[in-house]
């Protein structure tokens, strides 16, 4: 980008940004959306400043890009809203009992590898091999993380009665 091209974009930004935001605000009805659309237009101008500098009316180009971006985003949002309406309301929020909250707090304290292994194995109910494939580690590593994670959770939850109920040796019932 030459200095003159950069100066052109800087000058346009200083002179046109507010005006374009006001115009896009009228189109979108949302100030934040209007600002994002205009910022996106300027970003696209920065990608090819030589071509942008050659435009007869760069402000009109910026306006067109911003309006098109806002319209595309509006259409995508409509599609998403339609899909969300078809699939129904979101699933029920997780249990907010003291035991469940204590379990979540204890999981957050664990190292990331142990937390991921425990969540995928016990909460998502994936077998060890699938957990290993998902995390990109060996099955032995997953077994080690599960063992260490269970011991760490047991120690963390020892102060909280009835938080983790053992269903079978080595398995934690995290449904509570």
């Amino acid at each position: 980008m030459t200095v003159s091209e950069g100066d052109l974009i800087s000058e346009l930004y200083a002179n046109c940004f507010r005006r374009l935001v006001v115009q896009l605000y009228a189109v979108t009805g949302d100030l934040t959306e209007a600002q994002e659309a205009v910022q996106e237009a300027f970003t696209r101008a920065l990608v090819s400043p030589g071509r942008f500098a050659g435009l007869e009316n760069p402000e009109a180009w910026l306006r067109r890009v911003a309006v098109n971006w806002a319209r595309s985003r509006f259409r995508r949002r409509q599609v998403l809203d339609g899909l969300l309406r078809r699939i129904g309301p979101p699933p029920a929020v997780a249990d907010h009992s003291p035991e469940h909250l204590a379990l979540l707090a204890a999981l957050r304290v664990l190292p990331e590898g142990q937390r991921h292994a425990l969540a995928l194995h016990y909460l998502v109910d994936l077998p060890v091999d699938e957990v290993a494939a998902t995390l990109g580690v060996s099955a032995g590593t997953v077994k080690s993380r599960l063992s260490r994670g269970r011991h760490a959770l047991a120690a963390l939850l020892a102060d909280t009665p009835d938080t983790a109920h053992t269903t079978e040796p080595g398995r934690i019932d995290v449904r509570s």
Side-chain angles (χ1 to χ4, degrees):
M1 174 165 52
T2 67
V3 175
S4 64
E5 293 166 351
D7 288 344
L8 170 67
I9 293 174
S10 294
E11 185 179 318
L12 274 168
Y13 188 85
N15 293 332
C16 301
F17 183 79
R18 284 187 172 172
R19 182 170 47 246
L20 288 170
V21 168
V22 169
Q23 293 166 2
L24 265 290
Y25 181 52
V27 171
T28 64
D30 183 318
L31 181 59
T32 304
E33 191 82 11
Q35 290 170 334
E36 286 182 29
V38 174
Q39 289 171 358
E40 181 64 28
F42 273 100
T43 301
R44 292 185 184 181
L46 287 170
V47 170
S48 55
R51 193 181 77 154
F52 182 75
L55 294 173
E56 187 175 317
N57 187 348
E59 184 177 349
W61 183 88
L62 289 166
R63 184 181 311 97
R64 185 177 70 238
V65 169
V67 168
N68 287 344
W69 184 86
R71 291 174 68 209
S72 293
R73 189 162 164 162
F74 177 76
R75 284 192 300 269
R76 285 192 302 270
R77 190 176 306 118
Q78 282 186 314
V79 169
L80 176 63
D81 289 348
L83 290 172
L84 292 175
R85 276 193 301 277
R86 261 189 269 154
I87 62 173
V93 176
D95 182 10
H96 291 299
S97 68
E99 295 84 12
H100 185 78
L101 295 176
L103 176 62
L104 292 177
L107 281 169
R108 282 193 294 272
V109 172
L110 295 179
E112 186 177 280
Q114 291 175 14
R115 183 175 62 248
H116 290 174
L118 287 168
L120 291 172
H121 187 64
Y122 292 110
L123 300 176
V124 182
D125 205 27
L126 294 179
V128 171
D129 291 337
E130 275 190 63
V131 173
T134 301
L135 297 177
V137 298
S138 71
T141 299
V142 170
K143 290 176 185 177
S144 173
R145 288 177 181 177
L146 288 171
S147 176
R148 290 180 182 154
R150 282 192 303 266
H151 289 297
L153 272 180
L156 289 167
L157 297 173
D159 296 334
T160 309
D162 298 328
T163 301
H165 307 284
T166 305
T167 57
E168 59 186 67
R171 295 219 23 122
I172 299 172
D173 181 1
V174 292
R175 291 175 286 174
S176 61

